[in-house]
Amino acid sequence: MNVAYVYPWDIVGDPSAPDRLAGLGVEAVALAASYHSTRAATPYHPSHRVLDVPYPAFYLPIRPASWSRLVPATPTWTPEDAYLQARDTLKAVGLQVHAWTVLTHNSHLGTANPDLVVRNAFGDPYPYALCPAHEDVLEYCELLVKEILTVGEPDGLILEACGPMGFGHQSVHEKTSGADWTPADSDLLSLCFCTACADRYPADTRDRVRATIDRTHPAQPTPAPTLGTTATSTTIGTTTAGNTTASATASATTASTSASASATTADTTTVGATTASTTTTAGTTTTTGTTTPSTHPLTIEQALGELTDEVRAIRVDLSDSLRHRLIAVARSTAPNTPITLHANPNPWAAGAFAPLPSGEPGADVLVANCWGDPATDAARLAQLKDLSAPGQRIGAYVLALPPRPADAAALADQLRTYAKAGATEFHLYHAGLASPQRLAAITEALRQHA
């Protein structure tokens, strides 16, 4: 089954949208039922070309009695039942409609409830990131899933951000890349030390994280070398990015989210400060000096050292606990509705694609992000395939927007690469944002792959 992703505002008010989507050759549409703030192009809509979505919203009618402390916001830019209106028009042309559900990524609720958000080792809050270590957050996510299945009656449920969000975030005028934080630094800054998380870690975890960040980026500027002193440059080894949303770089462009997580290599690099003096006597040059080496961690494991196993287990448990509760409530509410997880085999992942290092047999489909280097994406898909249960499908979340070219042959080649890695279906992002040329490329690429 191939799936095209869209927003409710792509459909509501545009009578041509259902047939246009059906013409792509997909069997289903992932329709956002809950989604974060964004600014979206609407190249086909009769009424507008750009839509500002200033806060995260729920696109089904809100029944106050169904919620507890956290209640999602109603949109003002679409009807309150936009999901239902879009669902009905899409089903009328023979498309399945799956509820695209964004869970812990919610700046509206995070800003209003700062005690429930992720906080890094320095105490800095991430208002867009609800921390699933809090019971109120777990309950909100459960109620969100239950309401979508009960009121929305989708043909499938797609769970995104089913775990903790992290440092990497495509935010309003993001200004974090100049700090030159490495993927390891981003992973460390993604560890949560909110009141529900801090005491779970080994006692000196926070100090270890802060010391590592500050050793790399001292608070005081380094004095300029004096005459006769040469400072060597730092050589940094290779890293392989995992998820676009969390920590590939501090400014990586992500989906919904987030989104980017890193799967870094285990290299160690040496950072040295060399002081040399040069004396020239009678045509002879003599250089003397000393080198004081230190190590700069290239992976979060290197930074955490002996704390790694315990901290990693705690982090993975946050996602496991949320996921198990949501699958349980989904199965009890709508037993026959298939569940798709946006997942990442990297245990340190944070963002739209939550960590899933041990698999999840309770889900029907595991989807990996495929927005980066195709070879790296294929390796991630192969890891998910290895973790999959018998009969479980593997999906590739394929970017059909820039910087990818609007080229059917190039897209078809990527689909073949992902299929060889284990993908049995393609989740195409994004059929509402893509130009006519890109929609044509999607249609042709799917036809070639069929």
Side-chain angles (χ1 to χ4, degrees), residues 104-128:
T104 62
H105 186 182
N106 195 308
S107 56
H108 171 75
L109 293 177
T111 300
N113 301 274
D115 58 310
L116 300 182
V117 304
V118 171
R119 291 178 180 267
N120 65 26
F122 297 87
D124 307 319
Y126 298 161
Y128 54 85

Side-chain angles (χ1 to χ4, degrees), residues 359-444:
E360 175 49 75
D364 299 278
V365 187
L366 304 180
V367 175
N369 185 278
C370 295
W371 288 20
D373 169 64
T376 302
D377 296 339
R380 189 180 308 112
L381 278 167
Q383 285 182 277
L384 273 189
K385 177 63 177 176
D386 290 342
L387 294 170
S388 65
Q392 198 168 49
R393 304 196 304 275
I394 300 299
Y397 195 56
V398 180
L399 182 66
L401 304 178
R404 302 294 200 218
D407 184 288
L411 181 57
D413 186 58
Q414 288 184 35
L415 299 187
R416 284 189 288 270
T417 296
Y418 301 145
K420 289 178 181 178
T424 55
E425 59 187 55
F426 302 112
H427 290 231
L428 299 153
Y429 186 93
H430 182 289
L433 300 171
S435 66
Q437 294 84 355
R438 291 182 180 279
L439 291 185
I442 291 172
T443 304
E444 176 60 21

Side-chain angles (χ1 to χ4, degrees), residues 55-384:
Y55 55 84
F58 187 55
Y59 294 95
L60 290 158
I62 292 177
R63 305 186 299 174
S66 299
W67 302 92
S68 185
R69 174 181 171 182
L70 301 180
V71 181
T74 298
T76 59
W77 48 92
T78 67
E80 67 174 15
D81 64 345
Y83 179 91
L84 298 178
Q85 292 188 34
R87 179 202 66 187
D88 291 346
T89 61
L90 292 167
K91 290 178 73 70
V93 298
L95 291 167
Q96 292 188 31
V97 178
H98 295 195
W100 181 12
T101 306
V102 176
L103 295 159
T104 62
H105 186 182
N106 195 308
S107 56
H108 171 75
L109 293 177
T111 300
N113 301 274
D115 58 310
L116 300 182
V117 304
V118 171
R119 291 178 180 267
N120 65 26
F122 297 87
D124 307 319
Y126 298 161
Y128 54 85
L130 296 173
C131 179
H134 295 276
E135 180 60 31
D136 285 332
V137 174
L138 293 170
E139 183 182 32
Y140 161 74
C141 292
E142 283 184 318
L143 294 175
L144 184 64
V145 165
K146 186 174 182 179
E147 280 295 280
I148 287 172
L149 292 174
T150 301
V151 181
E153 298 181 309
D155 298 305
L157 177 69
I158 299 174
L159 300 179
E160 180 172 301
C162 190
M165 297 290 290
F167 171 72
H169 180 247
Q170 181 68 17
S171 186
V172 178
H173 289 248
E174 185 78 13
K175 300 291 183 182
T176 54
S177 60
D180 291 334
W181 281 316
T182 67
D185 296 329
S186 295
D187 281 341
L188 292 169
L189 288 169
S190 295
L191 295 179
C192 182
F193 291 85
C194 71
T195 55
C197 286
D199 292 340
R200 300 183 182 208
Y201 299 127
D204 59 344
T205 304
R206 185 197 300 264
D207 291 340
R208 178 77 61 89
V209 171
R210 293 174 66 149
T212 302
I213 298 294
D214 284 347
R215 182 171 67 245
T216 308
H217 305 278
Q220 299 299 321
T222 303
T226 57
L227 186 63
T229 301
T230 303
T232 64
S233 61
T234 302
T235 302
I236 296 189
T238 59
T239 59
T240 302
N243 183 319
T244 66
T245 79
S247 61
T249 68
S251 61
T253 300
T254 71
S256 23
T257 44
S258 158
S260 46
S262 65
T264 51
T265 61
D267 315 4
T268 302
T269 198
T270 300
V271 180
T274 303
T275 302
S277 60
T278 303
T279 305
T280 302
T281 305
T284 301
T285 301
T286 304
T287 303
T288 60
T290 59
T291 300
T292 305
S294 63
T295 58
H296 175 76
L298 292 180
T299 68
I300 189 171
E301 289 90 350
Q302 291 173 351
L304 293 175
E306 74 282 0
L307 306 179
T308 294
D309 290 346
E310 188 172 355
V311 173
R312 181 172 52 223
I314 291 165
R315 289 287 292 179
V316 170
D317 182 65
L318 286 176
S319 295
D320 287 350
S321 298
L322 174 60
R323 186 176 69 252
H324 294 159
R325 287 178 63 159
L326 297 187
I327 290 176
V329 74
R331 295 304 185 202
S332 66
T333 305
N336 298 320
T337 301
I339 298 172
T340 295
L341 289 174
H342 284 190
N344 190 329
N346 175 15
W348 301 107
F353 290 73
L356 194 74
S358 300
E360 175 49 75
D364 299 278
V365 187
L366 304 180
V367 175
N369 185 278
C370 295
W371 288 20
D373 169 64
T376 302
D377 296 339
R380 189 180 308 112
L381 278 167
Q383 285 182 277
L384 273 189

